[in-house]
């Protein structure tokens, strides 16, 4: 199965990619996947991290004639025991 984690930039997709991959049982991480520029991976077991729109993802899945589990970043963060939102830039500098 392929898992797609979708969310805005700077929300922890890349930082926590290994934890997401372990939790969701993925063998390979594809960071910054852009369905307008990259083909959908043919092999299962991939974790795709993206900030693409749901419409672009749906079009890529349709074109590839496949399916994937799409998980928003908040749900993914909670699944691995993280707070639902990444700290803001201001919060990061005050720590």
């Amino acid at each position: 199965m392929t898992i797609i984690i979708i969310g805005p930039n700077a929300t922890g997709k890349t930082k926590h990619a290994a934890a997401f991959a372990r939790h969701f049982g993925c063998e390979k991480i594809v960071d910054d996947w852009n369905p307008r520029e990259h083909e959908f991976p043919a092999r299962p077991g991939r974790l795709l991290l993206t900030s693409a729109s749901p419409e672009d993802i749906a079009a890529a899945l349709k074109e590839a004639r496949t399916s994937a589990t799409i998980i928003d970043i908040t749900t993914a963060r909670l699944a691995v025991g993280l707070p639902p939102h990444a700290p803001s830039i201001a919060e990061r500098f005050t720590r």
Side-chain angles (χ1 to χ4, degrees), residues 15-31:
K15 182 176 182 177
H16 303 293
F20 296 143
R22 277 190 305 277
H23 180 79
F24 294 111
C26 297
E27 300 169 1
K28 182 169 169 75
I29 299 166
V30 180
D31 195 7

Side-chain angles (χ1 to χ4, degrees), residues 65-90:
R65 295 184 180 171
T66 191
S67 63
T69 299
I70 301 171
I71 302 169
D72 66 273
I73 186 62
T74 300
T75 302
R77 289 177 63 90
L78 290 170
V80 298
L82 294 168
H85 301 287
S88 69
I89 293 174

Side-chain angles (χ1 to χ4, degrees), residues 4-24:
I4 302 172
I5 295 180
I6 182 173
N9 292 333
T11 55
K13 293 184 303 293
T14 300
K15 182 176 182 177
H16 303 293
F20 296 143
R22 277 190 305 277
H23 180 79
F24 294 111

Side-chain angles (χ1 to χ4, degrees), residues 39-41 59-67:
E39 288 186 22
F40 189 83
L61 292 172
K62 184 176 179 180
E63 182 177 318
R65 295 184 180 171
T66 191
S67 63

